[in-house]
Short mmCIF file of all heavy atoms in Angstrom, two decimals:
data_model
loop_
_atom_site.label_atom_id
_atom_site.label_comp_id
_atom_site.label_asym_id
_atom_site.label_seq_id
_atom_site.Cartn_x
_atom_site.Cartn_y
_atom_site.Cartn_z
N LYS M 273 150.65 136.11 121.40
CA LYS M 273 151.95 136.31 120.67
C LYS M 273 151.93 136.70 119.18
O LYS M 273 152.91 137.19 118.71
CB LYS M 273 152.75 134.83 120.82
CG LYS M 273 152.40 133.87 119.72
CD LYS M 273 153.10 132.52 119.87
CE LYS M 273 152.54 131.49 119.03
NZ LYS M 273 152.50 131.53 117.66
N ASP M 274 150.75 136.50 118.58
CA ASP M 274 150.52 136.85 117.10
C ASP M 274 149.61 138.04 116.96
O ASP M 274 149.17 138.28 115.85
CB ASP M 274 150.09 135.78 116.29
CG ASP M 274 150.84 134.57 116.42
OD1 ASP M 274 152.10 134.61 116.22
OD2 ASP M 274 150.34 133.42 116.81
N CYS M 275 149.23 138.63 118.12
CA CYS M 275 148.14 139.75 117.96
C CYS M 275 148.80 141.04 117.44
O CYS M 275 149.60 141.64 118.24
CB CYS M 275 147.44 139.89 119.26
SG CYS M 275 146.08 141.04 119.26
N SER M 276 148.60 141.41 116.25
CA SER M 276 149.31 142.52 115.59
C SER M 276 148.54 143.84 115.83
O SER M 276 147.38 143.84 116.00
CB SER M 276 149.48 142.21 114.17
OG SER M 276 148.16 142.16 113.54
N LYS M 277 149.30 144.94 115.66
CA LYS M 277 148.63 146.26 115.75
C LYS M 277 147.85 146.45 114.52
O LYS M 277 146.75 147.10 114.54
CB LYS M 277 149.80 147.31 115.68
CG LYS M 277 150.57 147.39 116.98
CD LYS M 277 151.51 148.59 117.07
CE LYS M 277 151.94 148.76 118.52
NZ LYS M 277 153.07 149.78 118.64
N GLU M 278 148.22 145.78 113.41
CA GLU M 278 147.33 145.87 112.05
C GLU M 278 145.90 145.31 112.51
O GLU M 278 144.90 146.01 112.10
CB GLU M 278 147.97 144.93 110.95
CG GLU M 278 147.35 144.99 109.76
CD GLU M 278 147.68 143.80 108.81
OE1 GLU M 278 148.57 142.93 109.31
OE2 GLU M 278 147.26 143.85 107.67
N LEU M 279 145.82 144.18 113.28
CA LEU M 279 144.54 143.68 113.59
C LEU M 279 143.70 144.63 114.49
O LEU M 279 142.52 144.86 114.18
CB LEU M 279 144.77 142.31 114.29
CG LEU M 279 143.44 141.66 114.77
CD1 LEU M 279 142.53 141.31 113.67
CD2 LEU M 279 143.75 140.47 115.75
N ILE M 280 144.43 145.18 115.45
CA ILE M 280 143.70 146.14 116.31
C ILE M 280 143.23 147.37 115.56
O ILE M 280 142.04 147.84 115.75
CB ILE M 280 144.65 146.51 117.45
CG1 ILE M 280 144.75 145.21 118.40
CG2 ILE M 280 144.18 147.74 118.36
CD1 ILE M 280 145.80 145.26 119.41
N ASP M 281 144.02 147.80 114.58
CA ASP M 281 143.58 148.98 113.75
C ASP M 281 142.31 148.55 112.98
O ASP M 281 141.40 149.36 112.84
CB ASP M 281 144.64 149.39 112.78
CG ASP M 281 145.85 149.95 113.66
OD1 ASP M 281 145.68 150.37 114.78
OD2 ASP M 281 146.87 150.13 113.08
N VAL M 282 142.27 147.37 112.44
CA VAL M 282 141.18 146.95 111.69
C VAL M 282 139.90 146.89 112.49
O VAL M 282 138.79 147.30 112.18
CB VAL M 282 141.41 145.47 111.01
CG1 VAL M 282 140.11 144.90 110.46
CG2 VAL M 282 142.39 145.56 109.94
N ILE M 283 140.06 146.31 113.73
CA ILE M 283 138.90 146.34 114.72
C ILE M 283 138.45 147.80 114.99
O ILE M 283 137.22 148.12 114.94
CB ILE M 283 139.30 145.67 116.05
CG1 ILE M 283 139.80 144.25 115.83
CG2 ILE M 283 138.12 145.59 117.07
CD1 ILE M 283 140.34 143.57 117.05
N ALA M 284 139.39 148.74 115.24
CA ALA M 284 139.05 150.11 115.55
C ALA M 284 138.26 150.81 114.39
O ALA M 284 137.42 151.42 114.66
CB ALA M 284 140.36 150.80 115.82
N ASN M 285 138.76 150.41 113.18
CA ASN M 285 138.10 151.16 112.05
C ASN M 285 136.95 150.35 111.45
O ASN M 285 136.19 150.76 110.45
CB ASN M 285 139.09 151.40 110.96
CG ASN M 285 140.25 152.21 111.47
OD1 ASN M 285 139.93 153.11 112.32
ND2 ASN M 285 141.48 151.87 111.11
N GLY M 286 136.66 149.14 111.94
CA GLY M 286 135.65 148.25 111.38
C GLY M 286 134.12 148.87 111.47
O GLY M 286 133.78 149.62 112.42
#
Side-chain angles (χ1 to χ4, degrees):
K273 83 178 164 65
D274 307 306
C275 186
S276 64
K277 288 191 169 169
E278 183 197 6
L279 173 65
I280 288 167
D281 295 342
V282 167
I283 303 172
N285 300 322

